[in-house]
Amino acid sequence: MAVAGRGGLLVVEGQAGIGKTSLVEAARRQAGAAGMAVLAAQGARLEQDFGFGVVRQLFEVVLDGADPHERRRVLAGAAGLAAPIVGQADDDGAAPGQQTAMLHGLYWLTSNLAERTPILITVDDVQWSDAPSLRFLAYLARRLEGMPVLLVAALRTGDPPADAMLIAELLGVPDIRVIRPAALSIDGVGRLVRARLDETPDEIFIEACRRATGGVPFLVGELVGLVGTDRIPPTAEAADRIASAGPRTVAQAIMLRLSQLPPPAVTVARAVAVLGRHARLDRVAALENLGAGEVAVAVDALIGMEILAPGRPLAFAHPLVYQAIYDDVPLAARAAAHGRAAEILAGERAPADEVAIHLLLTEPAGRQDVVNTLRAAAGLMLARGAPQSATAYLRRALVEGPAGDERASVMHDLGSSEALAQDPRAAADLEEALCLTADPVTRAVIGAELGRFGMLSGQWIRSLELLRAALADVGDRDPNLRARIEAFAAGRFYDVRFAAEFDLELPGLRALVEEDGPGSRALGLIVAALSACRGEIEPAQALRLVERGLADGRFLREVGSEDLMIGQGVEALIAIDELDAADRASEGVLDDAGRRGSIFGFVAGSSYRVFLDAQRGALKRAEGHLRSLVEVSLKHGIQFTLPGAFYVGLNSLLEREVDDVTTLIESVDPDPALVGSLNGAWVLTARGRLRSLRGDHASAIEDLRAAGALFTGLRFSNPIVALWRSPLALALPAEAAEEARSLVDDELRDATAQDLPRCCGAALRAKGLLEGGDRGIELLEASLQELERPDAILERARTLVELGGALRRGNRRVAARQPLAEGLDLADRCGAERLASRATQELHAAGARPRTRAITGPDSLTASEARVAHMAADGMSNREIAQSLFVTAKTVENQLGTAYRKLGVRSRAELRGALTPAGPS
């Protein structure tokens, strides 16, 4: 099936010794015979904190053995993000890697490998895999459709897994197939016993063997070996002695076999157990102070006794054999042996994370070199997007007993890595680091990190206390750091409880903005955004602050698309209606997100594209971006991005048939901690306007009033980011006409004062609808004059249809036809389906006969199909499209195939001509 390109996940599940490993080995043999490439790994109890350890087992051997040309091919595109994980990049001193980016890169690494040869990936003892590797396996398993990749995982039941939630996620993959090998029947036990013994066993003896082992094949084999060693005859009379063997079967049988070998063999077996995947003849010799010849003889004897597997690297014949021997080593001796193993690897200049595997299992001795190695290993793990592993190393470093400034520094590193891992202990550990730190600048750094961490979760009061203390600590010592902290703290002005403080602090913030440095530029971006949303800054001044802050893309290159201040800059440009500049900035965000594999950057960039395309009337394109960002947000658990997405996508939601997304809005409420913030206002606005569209005016009015209260509390008067007054006015009943007019007048006044012609046109349209009659028609015509600009096509279409409707209701049917026909044409070009339908109805009512629109060509494509088709027409391959949209190549293939059929084309060469649009949609 995988050979034919229908990949999937197969899990072999069962108790220890039931035959899972044998089935996995059989799968490898069959795959090799079928011409598949086989990537194999095994989870190990000792390596559960070795980030991406299982992943490295899978890929490093393949890449290390490839020639430079093949390595470049396999690591091309998004796969390059995974290079630090699989040993193909120098990540010493690298910045923290985003785990989602690493998963994205590993997926495309797998895809690139499978492009030429079908692949079998097997992971034995998956329950002991490290958390980052488990997360990748679950990520990959959900994206195997259309890939020639079969993932086979052997899962031991009865043992606590390294990460139960991730194992559950893996087992929850749709279309998973699970094999649960059954225990041997009495006939099966009999065949196995007869094959292993020289004498013919009695049936009662066989039944006793089955009862003692539960029919588990490995246990049966070990029990039969014990029978041979103890010279127990396979008779009915000896059955009672077999029954008493019970649970002692494995460990005692293995250790008994081991005891029959010369003493060095026992020592070597224990050394191999301690060294794990680092086991080599020379290292075993060094660990136990043995000669190379002694080790070689002992290894051969252990292979002959079926304790070690034949070949290299050194490995045990079965996980249960390894477990029995490792558990037999006394705890103190085991810890000392791991310490010696760490010294051996350090002497070879092995990477710090390899050494740290063993240091985690040693007893603390107050050694500075151990602390240094563990901290270096944590840095490598962070660079590879494995903060859970970094956290484990740093906790062990603390146990080693660093004191004073060293302890404070380790605590800071620990809290930071926990925050990246979303570990709830992060705040407490950062607080402790803050208490231990004496240096004021370092205290400011930690306090700012703590404050930002709390602010993102809505803990405003405590966050403000921390940020104010950080500002007091930094004083005038580091103006750039001070400005960056002020930028974090300015986020509180998006909450109604603190909005009034902005006016008081603005003079001081403006002074800091004029300083030089990235912190000042970041602060300038949020000051520009807040001021523009409040309508309290000249557009030219806001533009200057944004251009200075973004620094022609330099700030984005420095901080990346994940940085929240980048979004502040784009928001400011949108708020002052500088769409071209916002367009360039948003494309930069999406490009950066693609390079870094940043999911959050992709979502942020997509949200800007939604708003910009909708403002310009390209509603189908906006819907494509909206669907992508909603899908990715839900898939990756970043639902906090949805309130903003719903607001910026409102024009698409109001004018296009997107009922699935509309339904989602009803089910998503902002986090209670953020309900008094801009997020809450955006959710209420979107929900209220959609309810008004459905005719649920009572609920719509309630939502829009609540949104208005929040916008008013925030001092947000800019109709681009706070459009609630005219929608509320149009939803109010006739008896509230005076309130409705007042709302629209206020909106028109603010739009005029802030030089926002598109908003002026929309407000005049609402005012005309409220006035009605000849005065209403005059206002609608005034609206058209305001909307005489190429990027106001949607608002112009709406006004044309409303003007035609007003003329038709005033019994001026002939005069109504021209604006209605023009409005219909513009609505079609925008992809405004509901507006086009209304224009058609009005034309019929005005006595016209509008043409029947056949849904063919580009108009027949869904938003997602159109987006993929345009990207393909621009020369992007399916894989490039999939990588940029964070979807699978199969998804792109399906959507592009449907687009070909609808457009009547057969190749990319024909796409561009077939997609030539009639308008911006």
Side-chain angles (χ1 to χ4, degrees), residues 510-529:
R510 281 180 173 158
L512 267 178
V513 165
E514 294 306 318
E515 299 282 345
D516 190 27
S520 294
R521 294 201 301 272
L523 179 59
L525 293 174
I526 194 167
V527 167

Side-chain angles (χ1 to χ4, degrees), residues 41 51 66 70 85 126 156 175 179 187 214 250 253 437 475 549 556 603 632 730 755 805 819 877 908 916:
E70 178 64 7
I85 297 175
V126 72
R156 182 192 294 191
D175 301 322
I179 295 176
D187 290 338
V250 174
T437 302
L556 176 62
V603 168
V632 169
L730 294 173
D755 191 22
S877 69
R908 274 173 158 74
T916 301

Side-chain angles (χ1 to χ4, degrees), residues 29-114:
R29 289 193 297 272
Q30 289 186 18
M36 298 178 72
V38 178
L39 310 181
Q42 181 163 6
R45 286 196 304 171
L46 301 189
E47 298 187 11
Q48 293 175 15
D49 291 314
F50 185 47
F52 288 113
V54 163
V55 163
R56 291 171 70 174
Q57 288 183 57
L58 292 173
F59 294 109
E60 279 187 344
V61 173
V62 176
L63 290 169
D64 288 345
D67 61 53
H69 173 76
E70 178 64 7
R71 274 199 297 273
R72 284 194 297 272
R73 183 191 74 81
V74 170
L75 289 169
L81 294 164
I85 297 175
V86 293
Q88 300 300 311
D90 180 9
D91 49 16
D92 287 343
Q98 294 296 326
Q99 194 161 78
T100 53
M102 298 303 180
L103 299 181
H104 183 60
L106 287 168
Y107 166 79
W108 284 105
L109 171 59
T110 308
S111 180
N112 288 352
L113 283 169

Side-chain angles (χ1 to χ4, degrees), residues 812-829:
R812 296 160 65 180
R813 299 171 68 198
V814 174
R817 294 171 190 169
Q818 188 273 332
L820 287 171
E822 187 180 345
L824 174 59
D825 179 60
L826 290 181
D828 280 341
R829 289 169 58 192

Side-chain angles (χ1 to χ4, degrees), residues 257-337:
R257 288 212 317 271
L258 196 56
S259 69
Q260 295 172 5
L261 297 174
V266 178
T267 302
V268 167
R270 288 179 169 180
V272 172
V274 167
L275 285 165
R277 69 187 186 86
H278 294 127
R280 276 187 345 211
L281 291 176
D282 59 331
R283 289 171 180 161
V284 170
L287 185 69
E288 298 297 348
N289 198 24
L290 295 171
E294 282 183 288
V295 173
V297 170
V299 165
D300 288 341
L302 290 166
I303 291 172
M305 195 61 78
E306 296 184 352
I307 289 175
L308 292 183
R312 297 292 184 272
L314 298 177
F316 287 96
H318 193 279
L320 286 175
V321 177
Y322 153 75
Q323 186 174 331
I325 292 174
Y326 185 79
D327 290 346
D328 188 64
V329 182
L331 287 175
R334 190 191 305 168

Side-chain angles (χ1 to χ4, degrees), residues 45 214 242 439 469 486 496 539 554 568 589 650 762 778 907:
R45 286 196 304 171
I242 292 298
D439 177 69
E486 288 282 16
V496 293
R554 191 172 85 227
Q568 296 297 313
V589 170
L650 250 177
E778 289 175 8
S907 68

Side-chain angles (χ1 to χ4, degrees), residues 242-593:
I242 292 298
S244 66
R248 76 192 252 282
T249 303
V250 174
Q252 291 196 6
I254 291 168
M255 300 315 297
L256 186 59
R257 288 212 317 271
L258 196 56
S259 69
Q260 295 172 5
L261 297 174
V266 178
T267 302
V268 167
R270 288 179 169 180
V272 172
V274 167
L275 285 165
R277 69 187 186 86
H278 294 127
R280 276 187 345 211
L281 291 176
D282 59 331
R283 289 171 180 161
V284 170
L287 185 69
E288 298 297 348
N289 198 24
L290 295 171
E294 282 183 288
V295 173
V297 170
V299 165
D300 288 341
L302 290 166
I303 291 172
M305 195 61 78
E306 296 184 352
I307 289 175
L308 292 183
R312 297 292 184 272
L314 298 177
F316 287 96
H318 193 279
L320 286 175
V321 177
Y322 153 75
Q323 186 174 331
I325 292 174
Y326 185 79
D327 290 346
D328 188 64
V329 182
L331 287 175
R334 190 191 305 168
H338 280 295
R340 294 196 302 276
E343 290 174 357
I344 291 167
L345 291 170
E348 296 175 5
R349 297 187 180 278
D353 54 333
E354 301 280 355
V355 180
I357 293 173
H358 295 283
L359 292 179
L360 286 174
L361 299 165
T362 60
E363 293 295 331
R367 290 173 51 179
Q368 184 62 44
D369 61 322
V370 171
V371 175
N372 294 343
T373 300
L374 288 166
R375 293 189 73 180
L380 290 175
M381 290 295 102
L382 286 175
R384 294 172 188 159
Q388 301 95 332
S389 300
T391 296
Y393 294 153
L394 291 166
R395 285 182 183 146
R396 174 62 184 82
L398 283 174
V399 176
E400 197 65 23
D405 291 343
E406 174 86 3
R407 180 174 181 82
S409 182
V410 175
M411 287 297 306
H412 181 198
D413 289 348
L414 174 59
S416 298
S417 69
E418 287 169 334
L420 288 172
Q422 297 181 330
D423 189 314
R425 290 171 284 191
D429 287 336
L430 285 171
E431 291 265 14
E432 184 174 344
L434 187 62
C435 293
L436 292 171
T437 302
D439 177 69
V441 174
T442 306
R443 284 181 56 82
V445 170
I446 298 172
E449 193 172 339
L450 250 177
R452 183 171 181 268
F453 180 68
M455 193 168 288
L456 291 174
S457 58
Q459 298 172 10
W460 294 100
I461 303 299
R462 177 58 180 150
S463 292
L464 278 178
E465 293 173 356
L466 290 162
L467 291 171
R468 284 168 178 155
L471 289 169
D473 280 326
V474 72
D476 296 325
R477 296 179 177 89
D478 187 336
N480 183 63
L481 175 59
R482 181 179 182 84
R484 189 68 174 172
I485 295 171
E486 288 282 16
F488 292 156
R492 73 187 187 278
F493 300 131
Y494 286 106
D495 187 293
V496 293
R497 291 171 293 176
F498 309 104
E501 297 176 12
F502 182 67
D503 294 331
L504 301 175
E505 298 201 14
L506 187 56
L509 297 179
R510 281 180 173 158
L512 267 178
V513 165
E514 294 306 318
E515 299 282 345
D516 190 27
S520 294
R521 294 201 301 272
L523 179 59
L525 293 174
I526 194 167
V527 167
L530 284 162
S531 300
C533 289
R534 290 166 165 246
E536 297 171 351
I537 190 171
E538 290 294 325
Q541 184 185 1
L543 183 60
R544 181 185 71 82
L545 283 176
V546 174
E547 288 178 341
R548 180 175 178 272
L550 296 180
D552 198 25
R554 191 172 85 227
F555 187 65
L556 176 62
R557 291 191 294 273
E558 290 172 351
V559 302
S561 49
E562 298 265 339
D563 194 281
L564 297 176
M565 294 303 140
I566 296 292
Q568 296 297 313
V570 182
E571 181 183 335
L573 292 172
I574 289 173
I576 60 175
D577 218 17
E578 285 285 344
L579 299 190
D580 290 341
D583 209 345
R584 292 190 294 272
S586 67
E587 287 301 320
V589 170
L590 285 172
D591 289 345
D592 179 88

